[in-house]
């Protein structure tokens, strides 16, 4: 991209918080892409020039107008808990840190309206005061922001009940600021939210989110152990399929993964496989029978009142699993997969494919399943832990999974299309051309837009 006049930009933004300390700027130019040895190499040295922290929408509009005027690239960030370098700037410029915008506009039964920087845990806590809660959240919910989750996330704890964030009805409205000479505020409602959802901040600066809530249940935490991994996997599927049992989390962990969960090791004997569960207390009565049917053993159970006060099980699931493993062994990385939910691929049912992969790769690709609901069917997604050797071997493992019918959302690329989509949504591209005519928003993150950036 062409050089830009940073000093002129800074002078045009008096009264707005700007961070220019190189150490802080470098820190706020990063996320958890360090989980991937491939991305560590590719994103080395990529930092912004300054960080701007707007306190309200008017300040966002002023920043957008002047970045457009001086042609300065803008990379929006929340708490930086993403994993693919979504908020790492490839072309320097402004890091737009939205974490100061923390106002909860309103919460009504079943729906909430909040500013971009509101933390998921804060929204959840407030919603519970009137008997509601967030439908789904990543394992980083304590620190993650709502707009960061929308721009870079896809689902998580709660997806077994409500599906993925991009499913129709899981986002009601987004308010975005455009990056034009005269920036606009645009309200996207209903299906139009998909123009910005999971677009890594290339399509507008999200300032507000309207999100549906779910009824708040008293969630009990449970650990179940199994001598055989497939018994644990079949138990997970049976629990996921039990529509009358209300659950928020079903994570299944093959040995030796539980050995990385230091605070939980007293409940998970070495060599056993574990299920970490969050179940509504009224459904607990049905659990022991299901556990017994699959040869499991309940080793830990905390009622809702005590849940999260000692060992918070949620923070061992989803990508927190990878975090715990890497604290012990830094060479471990991960995959993100969805196993097919039917037999159309000719590879048998999803659990048969799970079993094949489990035996085929052994300890090189350690099986970690997270059950989710996709198109009304409960299926196993996976965040397998991989003992990394080379990029070539990692690509070979990914290719093998894809050839056998497993969908891989590749966490080792910062290109939107390569992460699993293959092709960027044409509606997102059309919206991008309208709201970002100079190609300044998070440039370099989409193949389809790369040519435009090069010619800019």
């Amino acid at each position: 991209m062409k050089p830009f006049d940073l000093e002129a930009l800074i002078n045009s933004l008096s009264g707005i918080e700007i961070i220019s300390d190189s150490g802080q700027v470098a820190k706020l130019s990063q996320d958890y892409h360090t989980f991937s040895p491939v991305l560590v190499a590719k994103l080395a040295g990529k930092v912004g020039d300054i960080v701007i922290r707007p306190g309200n929408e008017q300040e966002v509009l002023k920043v957008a107008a002047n970045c457009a005027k001086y042609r300065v690239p803008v990379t929006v960030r929340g708490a930086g808990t993403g994993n693919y370098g979504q908020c790492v700037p490839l072309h320097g410029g402004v890091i737009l840190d939205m974490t100061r915008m923390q106002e909860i506009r309103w919460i009504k039964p079943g729906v909430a309206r909040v500013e971009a920087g509101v933390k998921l845990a804060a929204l959840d806590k407030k919603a519970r005061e009137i008997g509601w809660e967030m439908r789904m959240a990543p394992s980083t919910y304590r620190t993650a922001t709502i707009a960061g989750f929308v721009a870079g996330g896809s689902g998580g704890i709660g997806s077994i009940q409500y599906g993925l964030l991009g499913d129709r009805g899981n986002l009601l409205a987004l308010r975005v600021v455009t990056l034009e000479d005269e920036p606009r505020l645009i309200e996207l409602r209903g299906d139009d939210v998909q123009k910005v959802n999971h677009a890594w901040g290339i399509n507008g600066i999200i300032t507000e989110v309207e999100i549906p809530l779910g009824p708040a249940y008293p969630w009990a935490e449970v650990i179940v152990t199994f001598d055989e991994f497939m018994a644990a996997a079949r138990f997970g599927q049976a629990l996921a399929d039990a529509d009358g049992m209300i659950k928020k989390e079903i994570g299944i962990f093959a040995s030796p993964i539980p050995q990385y969960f230091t605070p939980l090791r007293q409940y998970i004997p070495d060599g056993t496989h574990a299920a970490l569960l969050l179940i509504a207390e009224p459904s607990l009565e049905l659990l022991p029978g299901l556990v017994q049917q699959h040869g499991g053993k309940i080793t830990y159970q905390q009622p809702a009142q005590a849940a999260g006060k000692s060992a918070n099980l949620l923070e061992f699931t989803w990508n927190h699993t990878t975090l715990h493993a890497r604290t012990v062994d830094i060479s471990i990385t991960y995959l993100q997969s969805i196993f097919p939910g039917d037999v159309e691929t000719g590879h048998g049912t999803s659990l048969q494919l799970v079993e094949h992969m489990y035996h085929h790769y052994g300890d090189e690709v350690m099986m970690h399943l997270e059950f989710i609901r996709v198109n009304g069917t409960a299926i196993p997604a996976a965040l397998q832990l991989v003992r990394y050797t080379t990029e070539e071997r990692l690509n070979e493992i990914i290719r093998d999974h894809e050839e056998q019918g497993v969908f891989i959302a590749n966490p080792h690329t910062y290109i939107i299309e390569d992460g699993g989509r293959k092709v960027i949504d044409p509606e997102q591209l059309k919206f991008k051309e309208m709201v970002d005519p100079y190609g300044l928003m998070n440039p370099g993150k989409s193949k389809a837009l790369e040519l435009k950036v090069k010619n800019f």
Side-chain angles (χ1 to χ4, degrees):
M1 296 185 83
K2 291 176 184 171
F4 43 82
D5 190 341
L6 195 63
E7 200 176 328
L9 175 69
I10 291 169
N11 292 337
S12 70
L13 298 173
S14 61
I16 298 176
E17 186 186 344
I18 295 176
I19 298 168
S20 52
D21 173 76
S22 59
Q24 263 191 293
V25 172
K27 191 180 173 188
L28 292 168
S29 297
Q30 299 303 302
D31 63 6
Y32 281 85
H33 72 271
T34 46
F35 280 12
S36 165
V38 177
L39 288 179
V40 166
K42 287 183 177 169
L43 295 174
K46 301 292 185 189
V47 291
D49 291 285
I50 55 170
V51 174
I52 301 177
R53 280 186 166 146
N56 56 53
E57 213 166 53
Q58 287 312 305
E59 290 189 354
V60 174
L61 284 161
K62 190 174 177 182
V63 172
N66 284 288
C67 284
K69 181 180 179 180
Y70 296 108
R71 305 292 195 268
V72 182
V74 175
T75 306
V76 188
R77 80 174 261 128
T81 58
N83 296 102
Y84 335 116
Q86 297 107 310
C87 65
V88 176
L90 299 180
H91 297 279
V94 166
I95 303 291
L96 192 63
D97 181 330
M98 302 294 285
T99 53
R100 284 182 60 208
M101 294 179 61
Q102 293 185 10
E103 191 180 324
I104 294 175
R105 295 281 191 218
W106 46 258
I107 296 178
K108 301 171 186 174
V111 62
R113 178 91 178 195
V114 298
E115 283 191 323
V118 167
K119 290 183 179 178
L120 305 183
L123 170 55
D124 212 41
K125 188 180 176 187
K126 198 75 182 159
R128 279 185 160 270
E129 291 174 10
I130 62 161
W132 296 82
E133 66 180 16
M134 284 200 68
R135 288 183 174 186
M136 67 191 74
S139 58
T140 52
Y141 66 95
R142 284 181 198 256
T143 50
T145 64
I146 187 74
F149 182 40
V150 169
S154 57
I157 299 148
S159 286
I160 182 55
Q161 203 75 12
Y162 294 104
L164 297 171
L165 191 58
D167 291 344
R168 179 175 274 138
N170 279 333
L171 268 179
L172 298 178
L174 296 173
R175 190 164 156 100
V176 297
V177 167
T178 66
L179 209 65
E180 304 170 273
D181 294 320
E182 292 185 17
R184 290 172 289 159
L185 273 168
I186 299 177
E187 176 96 1
L188 299 168
R189 298 200 67 88
D191 289 338
D192 279 346
V193 298
Q194 303 306 337
K195 291 173 180 174
V196 172
N197 178 36
H198 203 67
W200 300 11
I202 67 167
N203 277 7
I205 302 160
I206 300 171
T207 57
E208 287 188 14
V209 177
E210 197 173 304
I211 198 161
L213 303 169
Y217 286 92
W219 297 109
E221 295 187 337
V222 184
I223 297 176
V224 186
T225 60
F226 298 84
D227 292 333
E228 299 292 330
F229 170 70
M230 284 313 295
R234 281 188 283 271
F235 162 79
Q237 185 70 61
L239 178 57
D241 288 338
D243 288 340
M245 292 179 74
I246 308 296
K247 53 266 168 185
K248 195 170 189 175
E249 167 62 20
I250 305 172
I252 307 292
F253 306 86
S255 176
I257 295 174
Q259 288 175 26
Y260 300 124
F261 301 161
T262 308
L264 305 182
R265 287 193 62 177
Q266 56 184 308
Y267 309 111
I268 308 170
D270 285 357
T272 63
H273 313 271
L276 269 52
L277 314 172
L278 222 62
I279 296 185
E281 282 185 355
S283 297
L284 274 181
E285 194 178 337
L286 286 302
L287 188 65
L290 193 61
V291 169
Q292 194 179 0
Q293 215 177 310
H294 290 85
K297 186 181 176 188
I298 295 174
T299 58
Y300 175 89
Q301 188 169 309
Q302 285 280 19
Q305 271 187 317
K309 285 181 182 165
S310 49
N312 187 344
L313 292 197
L314 295 187
E315 291 181 340
F316 294 88
T317 65
W318 291 83
N319 235 344
H320 259 69
T321 304
T322 315
L323 182 67
H324 285 284
R326 284 176 53 81
T327 346
V328 179
D329 182 352
I330 199 72
S331 72
I332 287 174
T333 187
Y334 73 115
L335 292 179
Q336 295 183 143
S337 323
I338 295 180
F339 283 82
D342 55 50
V343 292
E344 285 177 12
T345 58
H347 295 293
T349 65
S350 45
L351 283 188
Q352 284 173 325
L353 194 46
V354 166
E355 185 168 19
H356 167 73
M357 291 302 191
Y358 170 70
H359 290 301
H360 180 72
Y361 284 103
D363 268 9
E364 186 185 12
V365 182
M366 297 167 268
M367 196 59 82
H368 163 201
L369 302 178
E370 293 285 351
F371 282 88
I372 62 173
R373 189 166 292 278
V374 173
N375 298 325
T377 303
I379 62 169
L383 290 111
Q384 305 97 314
L385 298 185
V386 180
R387 295 189 192 279
Y388 182 79
T389 47
T390 65
E391 187 177 350
E392 291 69 32
R393 176 57 180 158
L394 184 62
N395 289 334
E396 202 176 277
I397 292 168
I398 290 171
R399 211 162 38 244
D400 178 44
H401 278 72
E402 288 178 334
E403 283 167 5
Q404 303 218 35
V406 180
F407 171 79
I408 298 278
N410 186 0
H412 303 284
T413 176
Y414 58 77
I415 300 292
I416 293 178
E417 294 95 326
D418 292 348
R421 290 190 170 191
K422 312 304 178 202
V423 180
I424 196 166
D425 183 342
E427 284 301 308
Q428 287 192 341
L429 277 181
K430 267 171 35 188
F431 190 68
K432 166 79 171 175
E433 283 167 18
M434 181 179 85
V435 301
D436 184 19
Y438 303 118
L440 296 171
M441 296 214 66
N442 208 356
K445 299 291 173 67
S446 164
K447 278 180 181 170
L449 299 167
E450 208 170 330
L451 191 61
K452 184 174 180 178
V453 171
K454 279 180 182 167
N455 293 336
F456 172 62

